[in-house]
Amino acid sequence: QAQLMESGGDSVEAGGSLRLSCTFSSYSWGSSCVGWFRQAPGKFLEGVATIFVGDGESYYSDSVKGRFTISRDSTKTTVYLQMNSLKPEDTGTYYCAIAVAEGYVCAPTHPQDFGYRGPGTQVTVSS
C-alpha cells in the first residue's frame, strides 16, 4: 500500500512563494498519476494540479494556472508543487494523492479518482 507524506507548508504573505513536496514509500511509481489537492475550512476538496510521473505531462485548475507548477524529480520518488504569487484564497490544507480508480482521469477535476491521500500540509496566505 502506498504511503504519502506532504511537507513544505507555511504561513506567507500574499505574493509570496512556497514549494510543497510529496514523498512516497512502499509504492512503485511506474506510470502513475499524482495529484495535489487542497481544502479550505468549510469548503470541498479542490483539485489543484496533476502530473503523469512517467512523462511529466501535467494539468492545472484554472484558479492556479500560471502561478503553480507541478513537477517530479529525476528519480520519480518525489512530486513538487511550486506555488508563486500566492493569494489569500490559496489558504488551505494541501494533500497529495495517487490516481487509483480503474480508468482514472489524471486531472484536477477528478479528485474522486485519487486515493492514498497523505496527512496534508497547511498553507496560510495573509493579505
Side-chain angles (χ1 to χ4, degrees):
Q1 182 173 339
Q3 292 180 315
L4 285 67
M5 181 64 67
E6 306 90 346
S7 62
D10 205 345
S11 296
V12 297
E13 293 185 348
S17 297
L18 285 173
R19 188 176 81 158
L20 306 183
S21 298
C22 174
T23 57
F24 294 72
S25 64
S26 306
Y27 193 81
S28 175
W29 284 99
S31 60
S32 303
C33 167
V34 176
W36 280 100
F37 304 86
R38 66 187 181 189
Q39 189 164 24
K43 295 190 176 181
F44 292 108
L45 189 70
E46 175 190 8
V48 175
T50 56
I51 187 169
F52 278 110
V53 175
D55 64 10
E57 187 172 358
S58 57
Y59 307 89
Y60 299 90
S61 67
D62 289 342
S63 61
V64 307
K65 197 173 295 182
R67 299 187 297 123
F68 291 11
T69 303
I70 189 171
S71 63
R72 83 278 196 237
D73 71 351
S74 58
T75 63
K76 300 177 184 178
T77 59
T78 303
V79 170
Y80 303 101
L81 184 69
Q82 177 66 43
M83 306 188 296
N84 299 328
S85 302
L86 282 162
K87 304 176 181 180
E89 51 262 45
D90 293 319
T91 294
T93 302
Y94 282 69
Y95 305 92
C96 61
I98 300 172
V100 296
E102 185 174 347
Y104 65 78
V105 176
C106 185
T109 52
H110 288 70
Q112 68 276 15
D113 289 356
F114 291 76
Y116 297 127
R117 195 171 70 180
T121 186
Q122 179 66 35
V123 172
T124 302
V125 184
S126 59
S127 57

